[in-house]
Amino acid sequence: MSVAPSVSYSITVRLEVPSRGRAVSDLTHAVEQAGGAVTALDVTPYRYERLRVDVTCAARDTDHAEEIVQSMRAIPGVVVNKVSDRTFLLHLGGKIETNVKVPLRNRDDLSMAYTPGVARVSLAIAANPDDVRRLTVKRNSVAVVTDGSAVLGIGNVGPYAAMPVMEGKAALFKRFADIDAWPVCLDTQDTDEIVRSVRIVMAGAGAAGTAVLKLLLASGASDVVVCDDQGAVYPGRPGLGDSLQWVAEHTNPSGYAGNLAGALPGADVFIGVSASNILTGAHIATMARDAIVFALANPDPEVDPDAAGEHAAVVATGRSDYPNQINNVLAFPGVFRGLLDAQSRMVTDDMLIAAARALAGVVSPAELGPHYIIPSVFHPDVASAVAAAVRDAAGGRHH
């Protein structure tokens, strides 16, 4: 079945034609015979016995557009002066801009909007951080972030080529929700570098929590706050044992000393390996937009998954009756298969990180979505993919 002409492949062709005869009608006929669709026609006198004609038409793709141009060029007496791709014209200079909401007409306006007056506002926010939403654009702003590795249907095109798509998303935010969105195209596809920019809050500082924490830190995370039943772990907190002292020395760079609920506002990720029902959906609502929640306490998670899902972009639990079940059977069979194949006598962080990345890689980009970030324990490729990654990280080969 042939594809219909689309405005996304629309071109405007500027031509010269004889002012007598059927030149103009021949142009439209040629476009239609070539399978195009004429959407606009502008005719103006040009020179003696000549007309300038701008023909705007839709094509099926870029090759079809060239066929249409050649069909018009083949008409006797027709001269093609210029061909413009309307989609590219629309993108010239980008599709979005920053507008100023306040007048900057004189020195008084400038001294309030910028220095020295703006310093008073900054100091007020420093004294009361909650005012940032009232006194800045933050309350109506989002970042549209990509590393260019999975852009719409065109794949890994890099950050520069991703920019038009991100601009388009930002324009849609403004047009349909009046949200100010800013494209942020990261010039890196190094996941370690991206992880370093994420703020993580953890609940649980026991054996499981510490093991998870060590892998996060080894993967490059640098802004992690760990909470136990006494609140945040921080240097100088009374009663820290050796394990918690290590946690205190390697996390919480801001020295936060409050409780779990107070650590969540603005966080990008919550990881719970602690106790059931210690949070509510209202707590998750304070996290950053498109937050990720791993509530892994059993048999009931730290927060009700349905309540968390009202505010978070991704929710994972240890339960089989919800999407994104995190179950240790996803890992240990493959990990030990890889260790045995490599004849390794130790388990390193590099091996476990390789296993985690292999596990994530079982879900293809086409399959990946908020409700499917990790494969089922019954997926046939899980154990073999994890085993291969561990074996390679251990420097061994399959026997």
Side-chain angles (χ1 to χ4, degrees), residues 199-200 222-226 233-235 247-256:
R199 183 168 166 237
I200 304 169
S222 60
D223 189 356
V224 184
V225 174
V226 178
V233 179
Y234 60 91
V247 171
E249 292 171 357
H250 291 84
T251 63
N252 201 352
S254 65
Y256 173 74

Side-chain angles (χ1 to χ4, degrees), residues 261-276:
L264 284 175
D268 300 291
V269 179
F270 168 73
I271 301 174
V273 280
S274 55
S276 302

Side-chain angles (χ1 to χ4, degrees), residues 351-363:
M351 295 178 193
L352 297 180
I353 291 170
R357 289 176 172 163
L359 183 59
V362 172
V363 179

Side-chain angles (χ1 to χ4, degrees), residues 102-294:
V102 297
L104 294 175
R105 300 163 298 192
N106 50 47
R107 189 178 298 275
D108 285 352
D109 291 342
L110 187 61
S111 66
M112 289 187 288
Y114 196 51
T115 185
V118 71
R120 294 178 51 227
V121 180
S122 294
L123 291 172
I125 294 172
N128 184 12
D130 289 342
D131 278 349
V132 69
R133 294 180 62 83
R134 184 173 65 87
L135 295 173
T136 74
V137 73
K138 180 178 175 62
R139 69 178 178 183
N140 194 51
S141 297
V142 298
V144 185
V145 183
T146 183
D147 62 1
S149 62
V151 180
L152 288 180
I154 55 179
N156 188 345
V157 295
Y160 298 143
M163 192 66 175
V165 178
M166 298 302 106
E167 282 188 359
K169 290 180 181 291
L172 294 178
F173 270 114
K174 188 64 178 178
R175 170 62 179 81
F176 294 106
D178 197 27
I179 294 172
D180 297 309
W182 316 96
V184 179
C185 297
L186 304 176
D187 193 8
T188 178
Q189 293 181 5
D190 181 346
T191 55
D192 292 343
E193 185 170 338
I194 295 172
V195 166
R196 282 191 282 271
S197 68
V198 173
R199 183 168 166 237
I200 304 169
V201 173
M202 292 184 59
T210 302
V212 170
L213 171 64
K214 288 181 176 179
L215 290 184
L216 287 172
L217 297 177
S219 297
S222 60
D223 189 356
V224 184
V225 174
V226 178
C227 298
D228 62 7
D229 58 353
Q230 302 298 312
V233 179
Y234 60 91
R237 196 183 89 172
L240 294 180
D242 290 344
S243 178
L244 288 181
Q245 183 62 41
W246 185 93
V247 171
E249 292 171 357
H250 291 84
T251 63
N252 201 352
S254 65
Y256 173 74
N259 60 15
L260 173 62
L264 284 175
D268 300 291
V269 179
F270 168 73
I271 301 174
V273 280
S274 55
S276 302
N277 299 313
I278 58 176
L279 295 173
T280 67
H283 293 123
I284 304 305
T286 68
M287 296 178 67
R289 186 183 296 270
D290 293 332
I292 297 171
V293 172
F294 279 53

Side-chain angles (χ1 to χ4, degrees), residues 317-350:
T317 71
R319 295 175 54 150
S320 60
D321 55 345
Y322 282 94
N324 299 324
Q325 183 193 20
I326 309 298
N327 190 315
N328 59 15
V329 75
L330 286 164
F332 72 78
V335 168
F336 280 88
R337 178 74 271 163
L339 291 171
L340 290 170
D341 290 344
Q343 300 181 21
S344 176
R345 298 185 178 182
M346 65 181 67
V347 180
T348 66
D349 286 348
D350 287 344

